[in-house]
Amino acid sequence: MPEGSAAAGPGRADPGASASVTPFPGVDVSATESGPGSVPESASGAVPESVPGAVGGADSGALGPPAGAGPGAPQVKTSLEILRSLDSGPRGLVEARAEERLARFGENVLPAWRPVPWPRRFVRSLRDPFTSVLLCLGLVSAVVSAWGTACVILALVAVSCLLRSAEEHRADRSTADLRDLVATTATVVRRVSPDAAPLEREVPVADLVPGDVIRLGPGDLVPADVQVLRAGGLTVHQSALTGESAPVAKHPLDTPDPALASAGPFAQPQLCFQGSSVTSGSGTAVIVATGGATRFAAAHDGRARQRGASAFDRSVQGISWTLIRFMLLTPPLVLMANAALRGRGLETLPFAVAVAVGLTPEMLPVIVTTALARGAARLARTSGVIVKRLPALHDLGAVDVLCLDKTGTLTEDRPVVAAAVDGADRPDPEVLRWAALSALWTLQLAELPAPDALDEAVLDAAEEAEGWGACAAYEGVAALPFDPVRRVATAVVRRPGRLGVHTLVTKGAVEAVLERCALDGDERKRLLALADRKAESGLRLLAVARADRPARPGAYSPADERGLTFVGLIALRDVPAPSAAEALGVLARRGVTVKVLTGDHPGTAARACADLGLGLRAGTGTGAGSGADTLAGSGSKPGAGSGADTGATIEYGDVVTAELVDTLSDAELARVADRATVFARCTPEHKARIVSALRAAGHTTGFLGDGVNDLPALHAADVGICPRNAVDVAREAADVVLAEKDLTAIDRAVLAGRHSSGNIATYLRITLSSNLGNVIAMLTAGLMLPFLPMLPAQVLVQNLCFDAAQLAFAFDRPAASALRRPAVLRSRDFLRFITGFGLLNAAADLATFGVLALALHNAAGDGEAAFHAGWFTENLLTQALVMVLLRTGRSAAERRAGGPLRAAAAGLAVVGVLLPLTPVGPLLGMSALPPLYYLLLGSVLGLYAVALTAARRRYERRHPAEDESGRGLEKAHGER
């Protein structure tokens, strides 16, 4: 073994070796730690103490020279140099040194996974616009010495913040429990003392430190950013980081390679990154970055994390600013009008503030938080769906475009064999038999961690066609597993009755297999054209070839894969997920458009969508395809690969490729994205840009993803969704975590979001229209009467009674129309609704003037106190009527209105009638009313109910979205 090799351990450094650079700048711990093999600080760079888990440099996520190095192109450290700079070796760290580094760098966990303290969570809740408005009103009330109003408002603010903080804390704990289900140990090599023998043992991933030497095997997750020291057939899947589906071969760097200096970090063959997984082979590696210094953390904390305002934020801000404008105008108008017409001064300021408070939906933060928290708790209990951010539940209800990948959502992860044909495109069972032999013995002899999906499909088809009898007669000799560079896999078998002969059976990407076959140029072009036609129809293709070689005892190598005889093609198709078609139909009826963002070949994606009933309009979308991409762009798993990229132009209805996306401006992409259904060959950046374009076009978007490569799109969407088995960083970035990657679970979550949003919208319509009517009536009465129409204390008590009754809206069941379409809180729609019904409410209040004048004309006693009592009673009775009659939905839904809402309305009416008659009435400045008043008031309320019902029916006719078409959905889903 050469002394300088990685396996031999640190030997004498070559003075002429290239200075090091890694994707982890300043990867040196030796500058602050003394020990054997340390190097001067000037050569290695110091490690900043301010970066937990860093192994140097300030920007651990960027490729650059080590600290202290001069400018110039980055260079790459060899295995020997990286070990020396880390003050480590192939025998691992001493336990005491590992403990020191753990204390210095911190645990190997992402900073975002650390719990948020309760005080910070509570203060963060105050940033909600509605809560901020209430807080300001409470402070204004305190300034004008309206202590009762101030105390009530501040108590509502506190309750709302506590509810929101508690629910978000519950969601965070549920997410932490999900992380605990994932394996959290790694095999590390450490020593008890410098002279002791190295021992392998399992340690928690959080305890790993820079300089630790770890073992990697098939199926292992890479626990940190590492550099490979030794490898045997090591390949890793880093699609979660890069989006590339092909496993990447990794090997140690024993000698400097200047060509790697210009390569990106993920192209470095000696580097593996946290978030990737071992596909095949084994290896030994040294950890160079942990925790917040890894590229995993950089992807989580980078620019993709910057998300614009969500649908809920936009809705809340629009309504909040509308309310703020009204509230800011109300007190000055009251003061000026009373001063001009009645000669009153600042003594009307408490009344003006009370009127402004009366316009405000004080219970809104509590109602919003309660409705969303109940919906989130119900989802977690019944469907295993975790809502990590409460406003995301509203965003789910408002989603009108859902973006997702094809594999694992619309289709099963495992394809099926559609056909096995020879070079003339004729069915040939021999093609399937040879492919099955290659798959069987590759799996048996290559020690793969798990069967590849394509190999399993081939083996299942062979077993179904002819059983294992024909394959059982063959004996496996050797296997060359799939390599992403070769893009083929080869099994060497001994055929029955053919002594002294070994048969090589190779399968893989069409182009790669044909390059290894003894074919002339015309025949190769013909076969590539055949593969291209089949790929265009949405099929994945594997080519199969074989060759006989004289038996030999020595090992086989890729050099033996030459001069093969072409056998034929295996065509595979994706299998639609069992529930996908039905779920897509339900989502379509709910007004949710599904967009497929995939890295696959356009033909494969279009075929899967057509099989599921996602209609594609002909001739509306174009994109540059890649010709005979025989594995639909997905393929580089063992035995798979991509085919010839001929650069042909492909035209599909509503199918757009990434090549076309790159040529479009943001405005053009928004128009294309609005009509297209499938985006093929997408990179992570393409997905994020498409989602952002949809949002810019006015859509509320959801994105379903499960890998680190989905992080940009998860952050770009209004609501990010991921399944429970997604990579950890995707679960942390997502707003909603599903129990499984299933569209039916998303449908249930959408229903829950619309349920909660429907209740919030109903509350806002009823409360704002009622409050507006009361404010208009009070302002008018204040100008007509020689006294205030209601005392500030009476306004406060009235608001408290109405607020308590409004809590029932959080427990209501919305009508079918609220579940049929995306629920968006649009300020313009609310303004139109509350203006019309507010004026009607004001008319009823003002009609009470005539009733009071007639009833109190000859009545003895304090007329002012009786007037206050009469208006107080009428206000609460009209508000009770509004709660019942303006509830969202038509008569069928009203008959099913829940007990809480009707009970609250009845309670409000009882309080309005009885409170003036109790001993509390005189304390509030109210007196008993004559019986005639109640008779006349009953007539006014009857006319008001008739007018309210007629106005609501007219409103529904002018807005047909809330009609009988929602009843079918109510019948199917109303009991959920």
Side-chain angles (χ1 to χ4, degrees):
M1 180 180 296
E3 180 179 344
S5 70
R12 186 179 301 277
D14 182 3
S18 172
S20 75
V21 166
T22 80
F24 324 98
V27 58
D28 211 334
V29 296
S30 59
T32 56
E33 291 180 359
S34 61
S38 63
V39 292
E41 178 174 323
S42 60
S44 62
V47 182
E49 296 288 347
S50 61
V51 183
V55 213
D59 183 8
S60 61
L63 187 65
Q75 298 172 315
V76 180
K77 285 187 176 180
T78 65
S79 300
L80 175 60
E81 291 168 337
I82 198 72
L83 285 170
R84 293 193 64 191
S85 66
L86 290 167
D87 194 15
S88 184
R91 300 173 66 219
L93 294 175
V94 178
E95 291 286 355
R97 179 63 58 84
E99 292 177 1
E100 291 174 4
R101 293 187 179 183
L102 182 62
R104 177 183 166 204
F105 295 126
E107 291 187 335
N108 181 31
V109 296
L110 289 182
W113 292 355
R114 294 171 186 138
V116 179
W118 260 95
R120 183 184 300 175
R121 199 185 296 274
F122 184 88
V123 172
R124 195 166 58 187
S125 301
L126 292 173
R127 294 183 297 182
D128 175 79
F130 282 129
T131 306
S132 301
V133 169
L134 275 184
L135 185 62
C136 292
L137 279 177
L139 295 177
V140 170
S141 300
V143 169
V144 299
S145 300
W147 299 111
T149 304
C151 290
V152 171
I153 293 176
L154 294 178
L156 292 174
V157 169
V159 169
S160 175
C161 292
L162 285 173
L163 285 173
R164 174 165 294 184
S165 301
E167 185 58 29
E168 290 182 353
H169 177 70
R170 182 200 64 78
D172 285 349
R173 290 193 60 181
S174 299
T175 306
D177 292 341
L178 285 179
R179 283 201 303 269
D180 294 339
L181 297 177
V182 182
T184 55
T185 63
T187 304
V188 68
V189 178
R190 286 182 182 172
R191 295 168 288 157
V192 177
S193 64
D195 299 327
L199 298 175
E200 293 184 7
R201 66 186 183 90
E202 296 290 316
V203 301
V205 168
D207 293 343
L208 295 176
V209 297
D212 261 331
V213 175
I214 62 172
R215 307 291 193 205
L216 297 174
D220 286 349
L221 294 175
V222 179
D225 290 349
V226 303
Q227 180 158 335
V228 177
L229 304 177
R230 184 170 56 207
L234 180 65
T235 62
V236 300
H237 246 311
Q238 50 188 37
S239 60
L241 290 159
T242 65
E244 180 184 5
S245 60
V248 180
K250 298 293 182 179
H251 57 78
L253 183 67
D254 292 333
T255 58
D257 185 357
L260 294 176
S262 59
F266 297 112
Q268 303 280 345
Q270 78 281 10
L271 299 175
C272 299
F273 298 91
Q274 184 183 35
S276 55
S277 59
V278 178
T279 304
S280 61
S282 60
T284 301
V286 61
I287 294 178
V288 296
T290 59
T294 63
R295 284 197 168 265
F296 215 52
H300 189 267
D301 294 327
R303 62 177 177 82
R305 193 173 182 176
Q306 303 302 319
R307 171 189 286 168
S310 68
F312 182 80
D313 298 329
R314 295 192 297 270
S315 301
V316 165
Q317 288 170 4
I319 296 174
S320 295
W321 281 109
T322 301
L323 291 176
I324 289 171
R325 293 186 186 100
F326 274 112
M327 288 184 294
L328 292 178
L329 288 174
T330 299
L333 287 177
V334 172
L335 290 174
M336 288 188 296
N338 277 276
L341 300 179
R342 291 292 178 183
R344 299 168 186 159
L346 290 178
E347 66 271 14
T348 60
L349 182 59
F351 174 73
V353 172
V355 171
V357 172
L359 182 63
T360 308
E362 300 98 330
M363 291 298 292
L364 185 57
V366 179
I367 296 291
V368 168
T369 304
T370 303
L372 295 178
R374 289 188 73 248
R378 188 187 308 112
L379 266 180
R381 183 176 62 254
T382 61
S383 304
V385 177
I386 297 174
V387 179
K388 295 173 52 186
R389 185 175 59 87
L390 278 184
L393 188 60
H394 166 269
D395 294 343
L396 271 174
V399 162
D400 61 345
V401 174
L402 176 63
C403 300
L404 44 81
D405 195 359
K406 172 181 65 67
T407 305
T409 306
L410 301 181
T411 63
E412 299 282 3
D413 290 320
R414 180 172 168 177
V416 297
V417 173
V421 298
D422 60 16
D425 201 16
R426 294 187 300 261
D428 187 350
E430 285 294 301
V431 178
L432 181 59
R433 182 167 65 87
W434 286 113
L437 277 171
S438 176
L440 175 64
W441 289 110
T442 301
L443 292 175
Q444 293 288 334
L445 300 176
E447 298 182 357
L448 298 175
D452 177 73
L454 299 178
D455 284 341
E456 284 190 316
V458 169
L459 292 173
D460 287 346
E463 182 180 13
E464 183 178 339
E466 57 183 14
W468 290 111
C471 294
Y474 291 81
E475 180 183 352
V477 176
L480 299 175
F482 174 81
D483 183 284
V485 177
R486 292 162 42 240
R487 296 186 296 165
V488 297
T490 297
V492 182
V493 299
R494 185 178 294 113
R495 300 169 68 182
R498 297 289 301 274
L499 297 178
V501 176
H502 288 171
T503 300
L504 280 70
V505 187
T506 300
K507 68 169 176 26
V510 174
E511 183 184 30
V513 172
L514 292 179
E515 287 175 352
R516 291 162 170 79
C517 292
L519 299 170
D520 58 36
D522 292 339
E523 180 66 8
R524 181 176 289 109
K525 289 181 180 179
R526 186 187 68 82
L527 292 173
L528 284 174
L530 173 63
D532 186 40
R533 290 195 299 272
K534 290 187 173 295
E536 293 287 350
S537 66
L539 296 174
R540 302 185 180 195
L541 297 176
L542 290 176
V544 184
R546 67 179 181 86
D548 290 336
R549 299 283 190 267
R552 70 182 193 219
Y556 285 85
S557 70
D560 295 305
E561 299 169 336
R562 292 290 181 268
L564 306 179
T565 300
F566 182 76
V567 175
L569 299 172
I570 300 292
L572 303 101
R573 60 179 175 83
D574 290 317
V575 179
S579 60
E582 180 182 358
L584 286 173
V586 173
L587 288 173
R589 291 193 295 274
R590 295 195 194 287
V592 178
T593 302
V594 173
K595 308 280 185 183
V596 179
L597 279 53
T598 179
D600 278 355
H601 186 282
T604 304
R607 173 68 174 270
C609 292
D611 290 344
L612 291 168
L614 274 179
L616 303 179
R617 296 168 296 178
T620 59
T622 61
S626 63
D629 187 348
T630 58
L631 285 177
S634 67
S636 305
K637 297 196 175 184
S642 60
D645 191 351
T646 64
T649 299
I650 306 173
E651 293 196 8
Y652 297 96
D654 286 353
V655 179
V656 176
T657 60
E659 289 87 348
L660 179 60
V661 172
D662 290 334
T663 66
L664 300 175
S665 66
D666 290 341
E668 291 170 337
L669 179 58
R671 291 193 295 271
V672 171
D674 195 41
R675 72 166 186 266
T677 301
V678 176
F679 292 86
R681 302 201 180 285
C682 289
T683 65
E685 290 72 22
H686 288 127
K687 293 180 181 180
R689 189 176 173 221
I690 292 166
V691 170
S692 298
L694 288 167
R695 291 188 67 192
H699 295 287
T700 302
T701 60
F703 181 83
L704 173 62
D706 56 7
V708 177
N709 59 312
D710 292 320
L711 281 177
L714 284 170
H715 286 293
D718 288 290
V719 53
I721 310 167
C722 78
R724 170 176 162 176
N725 60 353
V727 297
D728 291 342
V729 71
R731 287 204 305 265
E732 293 298 325
D735 302 306
V736 178
V737 180
L738 306 177
E740 55 188 6
K741 197 174 182 181
D742 184 8
L743 287 180
T744 57
I746 296 181
D747 175 53
R748 291 192 293 269
V750 168
L751 266 181
R754 294 185 181 179
H755 188 152
S756 299
S757 299
N759 288 342
I760 295 171
T762 301
Y763 162 80
L764 280 172
R765 288 190 182 96
I766 293 175
T767 301
L768 292 178
S769 61
S770 179
N771 288 356
L772 179 62
N774 290 339
V775 167
I776 293 174
M778 278 195 289
L779 292 177
T780 304
L783 298 177
M784 296 173 58
L785 298 174
F787 53 85
L788 292 177
M790 291 188 74
L791 300 178
Q794 296 166 355
V795 175
L796 176 61
V797 172
Q798 174 183 286
N799 288 341
L800 282 176
C801 294
F802 194 26
D803 291 343
Q806 289 167 344
L807 276 175
F809 285 110
F811 302 89
D812 191 23
R813 175 184 296 168
S817 57
L819 305 179
R820 192 183 66 85
R821 61 190 180 122
V824 181
L825 305 178
R826 296 186 176 91
S827 57
R828 182 175 299 178
D829 294 342
F830 278 104
L831 186 61
R832 181 170 55 245
F833 184 96
I834 65 177
T835 300
F837 287 94
L839 291 175
L840 184 60
N841 183 277
D845 287 346
L846 294 175
T848 308
F849 277 149
V851 171
L852 287 171
L854 183 60
L856 301 178
H857 180 67
N858 296 319
D862 189 352
E864 184 175 337
F867 183 92
H868 291 158
W871 205 351
F872 179 88
T873 298
E874 184 269 344
N875 276 338
L876 291 189
L877 290 177
T878 55
Q879 287 172 342
L881 274 177
V882 167
M883 288 179 63
V884 175
L885 296 181
L886 284 191
R887 178 182 178 272
T888 302
R890 301 175 70 86
S891 59
E894 291 166 11
R895 287 193 294 269
R896 296 177 51 201
L901 189 63
R902 288 186 176 275
L908 187 64
V910 170
V911 170
V913 172
L914 298 182
L915 184 63
L917 305 179
T918 66
V920 178
L923 296 177
L924 294 175
M926 295 185 290
S927 62
L929 292 163
L932 178 62
Y933 169 76
Y934 293 104
L935 294 175
L936 296 176
L937 180 61
S939 302
V940 172
L941 293 178
L943 293 174
Y944 176 59
V946 172
L948 201 61
T949 302
R952 193 199 68 180
R953 289 177 177 173
R954 181 174 181 271
Y955 180 85
E956 289 172 348
R957 284 195 302 270
R958 297 183 63 180
H959 298 82
E962 299 180 9
D963 59 9
E964 299 290 341
S965 60
R967 294 196 180 190
L969 288 176
E970 183 180 50
K971 182 178 180 181
H973 300 283
E975 299 301 325
R976 291 189 178 184

